[in-house]
Amino acid sequence: MKDKFSTRIEIALDDAQLRDNFSGAMQFLRDKRQQALPDDSHWRKLRFEGERIRQQVLARLPALLEQLETRCTQNGIHVHWAEDAAEANQCILRIARQHDAKSIVKGKSMATEEIGLNHFMAQHDIECLETDMGEYIVQLAGETPSHIIMPAIHKNKAQISKLFREHLGEDCDPNDVDRLIGVGRKVLRNKFKHADMGISGVNFAAADSGTLCLVENEGNGRMCTTAPPVHIAVMGLEKVIPSLNELPTLQSLLTRSATGQASTTYLNLISHPRQTGEKDGPQEIHLVLLDNGRSRIHQDADMQSTLACIRCGACMNHCPVYTRIGGHAYGSTYPGPIGQVVTPQLEGLQEKAPLVSACSLNGACGEACPVNIPLPDLIRRLRARIRTNTRHIRPTERLLWQLWRFINMRPRLYDLTLRISRWIPWQGPTAWRQERHFPKPASKSLRRYMAEKARTQQHEEDA
């Protein structure tokens, strides 16, 4: 019997428009990133520094979080700790009710997607409106983001134009992007003006100064954090950094890997609520520190590097599986390679086991990660745990792996086996074939091909 993930994959693969949208978008993002990082030596140096910073953070995480809480409190920011999604939602609802908030404008935040904040607030008759244009489009369509950086990347201009016509009564030429953006901006501008509360995520938080850092391109994040009288920032525990000294490196890695920019249009640094004599800014700031399984991951030495992620989305852009099925097929807040690693750890290894199988282990995600998270290794470790936790290896399967090992340790036998295998009508295990097409063996092995190529080159040189 097929699981829901397999069904979603089939639906995505049957949607030619969706595949076309993703194929073009992923290639565009990969090209932009390549243009932003033309110097390979500079990229390696930057990446090494980013990895060093993130690993140091994980080594000192509890102490840095305590320091962050102390400094934020001294700055006048109210700090709340949320063990899980339910506690985070209740905390935000409590603050909203204290201020009789009925209208909330929200900046882009994967942490709030993770806890299902919009749906929760709607259940309590509080409007929580997304103001990032991509997030707004997705919310209007009644969908969830399909990418952590580009939420509406699965839609093209014609689909967005149709959406605006159906929901906003605005006729827009699909080719007039400025007009499309203008329609959304007109709606959002009025919401900013009358919002009772603003909610944002946090890209990084400097522990030594109690400064919240937000990067964005549209200005909506700045409006959400300054226009309403109350600002709530929701942050995963792993987003803390020692100081602002580390910010330039991490911001450079984030923006180049995410959107191919040297820097985003806006960099917001928030250290305290509105001070005496200041003309704008919130009168009250709350920081919600979200655990939701992160402490458990941090205590797992084999999987701790999961928390080094800076949420750039580069692993998705380079993943051949994600490119073909899109984000919604994963059925989780975090899709793609990082989602395959994060989601099972946050929501249960057995419940999300199918996600871990959606990987060819080609290694592209690991090479693309700007902080050098060993994503292929983490996926392999999770697969091993799933195997260990579900059942023992069957005797037949054990025998096959022993045979595989025996053949692969003997080059001549390996070569002979490859030659013979081309004449065998392989089918593979039934369960395996439910989600995959069995590959047709090549006419010649890579080893044979390279040997023939070397002989040809040698012959040309001799001639």
Side-chain angles (χ1 to χ4, degrees):
M1 181 179 179
K2 293 183 179 181
D3 55 48
K4 293 180 180 179
F5 184 39
S6 299
T7 302
R8 290 193 299 267
I9 288 175
E10 289 187 357
I11 293 172
L13 292 176
D14 287 340
D15 190 335
Q17 183 63 68
L18 179 73
R19 294 186 67 180
D20 184 61
N21 292 351
F22 266 98
S23 178
M26 294 298 100
Q27 187 61 54
F28 172 76
L29 289 172
R30 288 194 295 267
D31 289 345
K32 289 266 288 182
R33 182 175 186 265
Q34 185 62 40
Q35 292 166 12
L37 297 164
D39 186 339
D40 191 55
S41 61
H42 175 66
W43 157 245
R44 288 198 302 269
K45 181 179 178 181
L46 197 63
R47 189 187 195 208
F48 174 80
E49 181 63 14
E51 179 187 12
R52 184 191 65 79
I53 291 170
R54 294 304 292 151
Q55 292 305 318
Q56 283 187 351
V57 165
L58 296 181
R60 301 173 50 202
L61 188 59
L64 287 174
L65 288 169
E66 289 181 6
Q67 184 183 15
L68 177 66
E69 179 185 28
T70 299
R71 291 296 294 158
C72 283
T73 301
Q74 292 172 350
N75 293 347
I77 297 175
H78 303 275
V79 179
H80 312 266
W81 296 82
E83 184 176 353
D84 53 26
E87 191 170 341
N89 283 328
Q90 286 294 338
C91 176
I92 296 170
L93 177 63
R94 183 170 62 252
I95 297 169
R97 284 177 170 170
Q98 288 172 355
H99 294 273
D100 196 27
K102 296 297 181 184
S103 174
I104 297 174
V105 286
K106 181 171 166 289
K108 192 172 182 306
S109 164
M110 292 310 297
T112 57
E113 292 287 346
E114 181 183 323
I115 65 177
L117 179 64
N118 292 0
H119 179 68
F120 178 81
M121 298 304 279
Q123 290 179 326
H124 294 84
D125 299 320
I126 298 176
E127 180 190 44
C128 196
L129 184 74
E130 297 287 351
T131 64
D132 172 88
M133 188 56 65
E135 291 276 4
Y136 176 64
I137 290 168
V138 166
Q139 186 179 39
L140 207 59
E143 300 172 352
T144 55
S146 58
H147 192 283
I148 64 175
I149 296 297
M150 308 288 188
I153 202 167
H154 58 291
K155 293 189 177 297
N156 58 29
K157 293 179 289 186
Q159 291 170 322
I160 295 171
S161 176
K162 180 181 178 182
L163 187 70
F164 281 3
R165 183 170 62 254
E166 293 175 349
H167 290 268
L168 303 178
E170 296 279 356
D171 283 317
C172 302
D173 179 355
N175 295 314
D176 190 349
V177 177
D178 289 340
R179 165 70 175 150
L180 286 171
I181 297 298
V183 168
R185 185 181 293 124
K186 182 174 68 174
V187 175
L188 296 176
R189 187 171 293 157
N190 186 57
K191 294 293 184 178
F192 286 133
K193 205 184 285 187
H194 300 98
D196 301 311
M197 197 165 76
I199 294 178
S200 76
V202 178
N203 291 102
F204 305 106
D208 70 335
S209 61
T211 303
L212 311 181
C213 312
L214 286 76
V215 297
E216 50 145 341
N217 279 315
E218 300 176 17
N220 65 301
R222 185 162 294 185
M223 294 295 289
C224 290
T225 59
T226 58
V230 181
H231 168 215
I232 299 177
V234 184
M235 172 187 138
L237 300 181
E238 75 279 14
K239 294 298 186 71
V240 67
I241 57 177
S243 70
L244 291 178
N245 292 330
E246 290 76 27
L247 182 59
T249 296
L250 294 175
Q251 185 200 8
S252 183
L253 286 167
L254 173 60
T255 56
R256 283 175 166 82
S257 297
T259 57
Q261 296 172 276
S263 178
T264 48
T265 307
Y266 297 93
L267 170 61
N268 306 307
L269 301 177
I270 303 168
S271 296
H272 50 70
R274 185 190 302 184
Q275 303 292 290
T276 302
E278 293 181 340
K279 295 183 178 180
D280 60 10
Q283 298 168 0
E284 192 171 304
I285 299 178
H286 296 261
L287 173 62
V288 179
L289 295 171
L290 177 66
D291 187 330
N292 205 34
R294 288 164 172 80
S295 293
R296 186 173 62 253
I297 297 174
H298 184 258
Q299 293 170 6
D300 187 338
D302 289 336
M303 303 302 296
Q304 188 185 87
S305 58
T306 302
L307 297 177
C309 178
I310 58 174
R311 301 291 190 265
C312 68
C315 61
M316 301 176 194
N317 304 341
H318 290 76
C319 175
V321 176
Y322 176 87
T323 299
R324 284 160 178 77
I325 66 175
H328 288 151
Y330 291 83
S332 58
T333 301
Y334 304 104
I338 189 61
Q340 291 172 277
V341 172
V342 171
T343 304
Q345 295 184 79
L346 294 183
E347 300 182 21
L349 191 58
Q350 298 308 315
E351 293 79 0
K352 297 299 179 180
L355 290 183
V356 187
S357 68
C359 176
S360 64
L361 295 178
N362 57 84
C365 56
E367 292 179 11
C369 178
V371 290
N372 206 26
I373 299 174
L375 289 165
D377 290 342
L378 297 180
I379 291 172
R380 277 192 287 266
R381 291 170 194 170
L382 288 176
R383 286 181 175 183
R385 290 185 182 185
I386 291 169
R387 169 74 65 178
T388 301
N389 294 340
T390 52
R391 63 175 174 83
H392 295 293
I393 297 178
R394 296 171 182 171
T396 305
E397 190 173 349
R398 186 185 301 279
L399 179 62
L400 287 173
W401 280 117
Q402 289 174 346
L403 178 62
W404 179 90
R405 180 175 181 270
F406 181 83
I407 292 172
N408 277 265
M409 291 178 67
R410 292 159 177 81
R412 290 183 180 178
L413 181 59
Y414 175 78
D415 187 58
L416 177 62
T417 303
L418 285 181
R419 291 172 183 267
I420 295 174
S421 69
R422 289 194 289 274
W423 304 102
I424 299 176
W426 296 103
Q427 291 295 323
T430 302
W432 191 90
R433 283 186 282 114
Q434 285 183 352
E435 298 179 4
R436 303 170 178 85
H437 295 292
F438 200 87
K440 182 180 179 180
S443 59
K444 64 178 68 174
S445 69
L446 176 62
R447 183 180 174 188
R448 182 180 171 190
Y449 170 80
M450 294 303 294
E452 291 178 357
K453 185 177 180 180
R455 285 196 295 269
T456 302
Q457 289 177 342
Q458 185 63 47
H459 177 74
E460 291 175 350
E461 290 174 3
D462 293 343

